Every structure is written in C-alpha cells, then in structure tokens.
Amino acid sequence: MTELRTAGSRYARELTDLLQTLKGRADCSYEALARRAGVSGSTLHRYCSGAGVPNDFDPLARFGKACGADQHELLELHRLWVLVDAGRRRGTVRAEPARGARPAEQSASPTARATVAATVTPASTPTASGEPEATKTPAPSPGSEAEPPRPPHRPRPPHLLRLRRLPRPRRWLLVLVALLAVGATVMGAALLTDDRPAGADDAAGRPLLTDKCRFVAMGHQDSCVRELQLRLKQAGLDLEVDGAFGPITQMRVVVFQVLAGLEANGSVDDRTKRALYAGHVNAHPWSPARVDRRVREVFTEDPDRASGIAECASNLDPLYSLGNTNGTRNWGVFQLYDGTLRQLGGTPRKALDPEWNIRAAHRLWARTHDFRAWPSCDKAYEAGAATASQKQP
C-alpha cells in the first residue's frame, strides 16, 4: 500500500473524496464493509481518510460495490486510482510536508538559503520534453568586443557533387522524374486514406471532421464531445449524451474501435471519426436480463454464483471494458483479461459477443470447478451471501 498523502495531487484528493462519499452513503460500519472488500477495518479506514491507497484496484472495486456504487461511479473510482497509481509509477509524485512542519527552505536562515542557491546550481535544466536545456553562456563584459560567430563549414553531400558533374539536360531530366515520383506518392496516399472528395460536407453533417473538433479527448466538455456521443449511441452503444468526455465515453470509444476493426487505443483519431460517420457498426447488445438468463443456462452447476460473479464484473453489460495500468484490458460479461483471451483462443472482438464470452468463462470455470479466476468478485459474492444469511430469521 502506498501512502496517499505522498501523491500531492488533486487526483489523490478526488479519490479520497469519492471514497468518503461512498462510505457515507452505505449504512454499514467500517468492519462490515471491510469484510466485503476483503481487507481489514483499519486498512479500509486508511483508504477513506486519505492516509493510503492500495497498490491494486481490487480492494477499491469491492469496496465500491459493497457501498452500492453504480457503473459510472465504479469507472470514476478506477480512473482516479489509475491516475494516482500512474503518478507513483512514473516517480512524479512529491511528498507533502507533514502538518505543522515548516518547509526546509522557510526554516533555514537567509544566509543559508543564499549559500544553497549559490552553490547548488545545475549545469542544465530539463525542458518539458525531458531533454536538458543547454547551459546559458555568460554575456561578455561591457567594453569587450565579441567576435561574430563563423558559420561552420558544411561539405557538400556526395550525391550533389555527382549531380553537378552531369550535363545540364540530364540534370533537369532527373529533377523532373523526382518531382513526378513525389507527386505520384502524395496522390496515391491521398487516394488510399480518403476515397471521398474533401469539401463542405465535413462541416455540413460531419462536424467531427472540422478543425473545431480536431482534438476530442478525456476531460473535454463541448459540442464536439456531444457529437461524438451521439454517433456512438447511433452505433448501438449505451451512454448518456451530456457533452462531457468521461470514463463511460472513453470505454465506448474503445469498444466501437474494436467493433469497427480499428486499433483499440481510445483515441478519437481521424479513422475513428470517419468510421463513426460510415455507419457500418450496429452493436445491438443484449439486455442485462437476457445476459443473466444465459449465464444461468450455461452455468447449470452453480447458476446463482455465476450470475453474481457476472454482475460484479460487468453489471451484466456485454460491451463493458475496463483498462488496467499495464495497458491491457478486460472484456465483456465476465471481464476476460487479454492474456486469458489468448489462452482461450479469443480476441477482444469475440469477447464482446456475450454468447462467446459466457461459454469461454464456463470453460475457464471447468478447469478448477470454482470461480478462482475471479477472486475479487468471488469474495464479494461470499460476503454478500454471508450478510444475507445473517439477516434471515
């Protein structure tokens, strides 16, 4: 567990606020919620008070579900945890001074600060791109006459020397051939990347292709995001059209890219925009009731537990996809991990098919005849079953 106070970022504070909101909504003690989250009561109290953050998302996911968090809140919880964890992994987090303690610079005397400033001067300063900035050359003293710098001698490339030795007609012929080759390459690339004439239709009915909507990404809130959400909804993906690019919109973009045969990177690039307007994707997802019914039909050995695991993993949403901090994702009803998909001979496209996903999950269950492949949801189901049995007279 990493100390949350070392994050020193607004994401850490937002994560703490969300955890406290969920805890305040749940009519349970820390001990009861801790049992359902699979952690100790003191550890859960540290998470909610801002004293720590887990190295794995599973405890927070179990805690959120135990507090009755909906799909949007769980995605927001995961987003904030990923941002805090990513900052820790990159080493960009900074330790905040303890309450009541004075920073070292303030507590030091003016003489000591002047000494440190004079003696600890870096030879170079990293720029925003990560490359060191060149050390500044001191200006010449007044009265001194600086010699103007001479341009360095640059030898002429060998191919230009050979070109100068050719007769003038042959030189012009070579230049003409080179220009024709470049023109053919540019025209060929244009034909391959866009098979329609560019013009006013980008602005009339396809605003995502205009300069105004050139960049559409997480955190944006404008008419471009609203247009993106409308197109995703027309493709059969369920989301709220509110003009705010949040975790749900990001997830739907990834799923759309998979269904459209594009690279599932979550970036609203030009190919994704054109695919949205092409209208070739029509998801037609199963309803939660149909998913639950099919899970029970396939998992005849333990239908109630299987249904609980699926609801915990994806809220019975067959087009649910959650990202991991290592760049991989989980897919579909039973949130099958990329590595598991390869073992089962599947792909993200197959995993978004609820029939394939449920049957693949049953094959995974059949290896051990239990749900150890879903440890977090299995613990949550156990805790929920135990609580339900205690309430019975």
Side-chain angles (χ1 to χ4, degrees):
M1 180 176 65
T2 304
E3 291 295 323
L4 185 59
R5 60 174 176 269
T6 63
S9 68
R10 65 184 180 91
Y11 300 119
R13 292 190 293 272
E14 291 178 10
L15 177 61
T16 302
D17 292 342
L18 180 55
L19 291 174
Q20 291 176 352
T21 300
L22 294 174
K23 169 60 178 67
R25 184 196 306 167
D27 188 18
C28 298
S29 64
Y30 274 109
E31 287 71 19
L33 291 173
R35 285 195 298 270
R36 300 186 64 180
V39 296
S40 65
S42 60
T43 299
L44 184 59
H45 186 270
R46 287 174 61 82
Y47 296 161
C48 296
S49 63
V53 62
N55 293 328
D56 186 60
F57 178 66
D58 285 347
L60 296 185
R62 294 193 296 267
F63 169 76
K65 291 168 184 175
C67 294
D70 58 22
Q71 180 179 354
H72 295 263
E73 290 170 328
L74 289 175
L75 282 173
E76 178 65 9
L77 189 65
H78 181 264
R79 182 184 74 88
L80 292 173
W81 174 82
V82 168
L83 291 171
V84 175
D85 187 66
R88 175 180 63 83
R89 292 175 183 273
R90 289 195 305 267
T92 58
V93 295
R94 295 185 303 172
E96 292 182 346
R99 293 183 179 178
R102 299 176 59 193
E105 184 180 350
Q106 295 179 3
S107 60
S109 64
T111 304
R113 293 201 300 269
T115 303
V116 171
T119 56
V120 187
T121 302
S124 61
T125 305
T127 63
S129 63
E131 298 179 359
E133 184 179 5
T135 306
K136 295 182 178 179
T137 305
S141 60
S144 63
E145 202 170 349
E147 180 183 356
R150 297 179 179 178
H153 173 69
R154 296 181 180 177
R156 190 178 298 273
H159 65 278
L160 292 183
L161 293 176
R162 290 194 298 269
L163 184 61
R164 288 178 63 88
R165 297 191 189 105
L166 293 174
R168 186 177 296 273
R170 291 191 62 185
R171 270 187 276 167
W172 281 111
L173 180 61
L174 289 176
V175 172
L176 180 60
V177 171
L179 290 175
L180 290 174
V182 172
T185 302
V186 172
M187 292 179 62
L191 290 173
L192 288 174
T193 55
D194 191 4
D195 56 357
R196 59 163 193 87
D201 60 336
D202 285 355
R206 309 211 290 184
L208 287 177
L209 297 174
T210 62
D211 288 340
K212 178 185 176 182
C213 299
R214 180 175 299 177
F215 301 106
V216 185
M218 175 78 76
H220 290 192
Q221 188 169 0
D222 52 29
S223 59
C224 297
V225 177
R226 185 178 182 84
E227 171 69 9
L228 170 67
Q229 293 170 334
L230 283 171
R231 296 298 169 179
L232 290 171
K233 199 171 185 69
Q234 288 179 3
L237 300 171
D238 182 34
L239 78 165
E240 183 179 358
V241 180
D242 56 3
F245 199 126
I248 295 292
T249 302
Q250 179 77 31
M251 179 180 70
R252 296 311 188 197
V253 168
V254 172
V255 170
F256 174 82
Q257 289 173 329
V258 171
L259 298 178
L262 304 175
E263 180 184 359
N265 54 17
S267 173
V268 189
D269 52 22
D270 190 66
R271 295 186 64 191
T272 302
K273 295 174 182 177
R274 295 190 184 280
L276 284 166
Y277 287 119
H280 298 319
V281 174
N282 200 341
H284 287 303
W286 289 9
S287 66
R290 183 179 177 184
V291 172
D292 180 68
R293 183 169 62 251
R294 186 56 180 155
V295 168
R296 294 177 180 276
E297 291 173 353
V298 173
F299 284 84
T300 56
E301 302 85 354
D302 198 347
D304 290 339
R305 198 182 194 94
S307 175
I309 297 294
E311 184 175 5
C312 168
S314 66
N315 293 317
L316 301 176
D317 180 359
L319 300 181
Y320 194 82
S321 177
L322 201 60
N324 303 308
T325 56
N326 60 358
T328 60
R329 297 191 73 88
N330 306 325
W331 304 93
V333 175
F334 279 92
Q335 286 295 276
L336 299 178
Y337 169 68
D338 283 328
T340 303
L341 284 182
R342 288 191 293 269
Q343 295 176 9
L344 297 173
T347 62
R349 180 68 177 265
K350 287 184 176 180
L352 295 176
D353 175 7
E355 180 67 27
W356 188 93
N357 193 292
I358 295 170
R359 288 191 173 278
H362 187 264
R363 282 190 285 147
L364 197 59
W365 173 89
R367 294 178 179 179
T368 56
H369 292 277
D370 56 31
F371 292 93
R372 68 180 64 181
W374 300 269
S376 301
C377 288
D378 198 30
K379 290 180 181 178
Y381 180 83
E382 283 283 355
T387 303
S389 62
Q390 292 175 1
K391 292 183 179 180
Q392 293 179 356

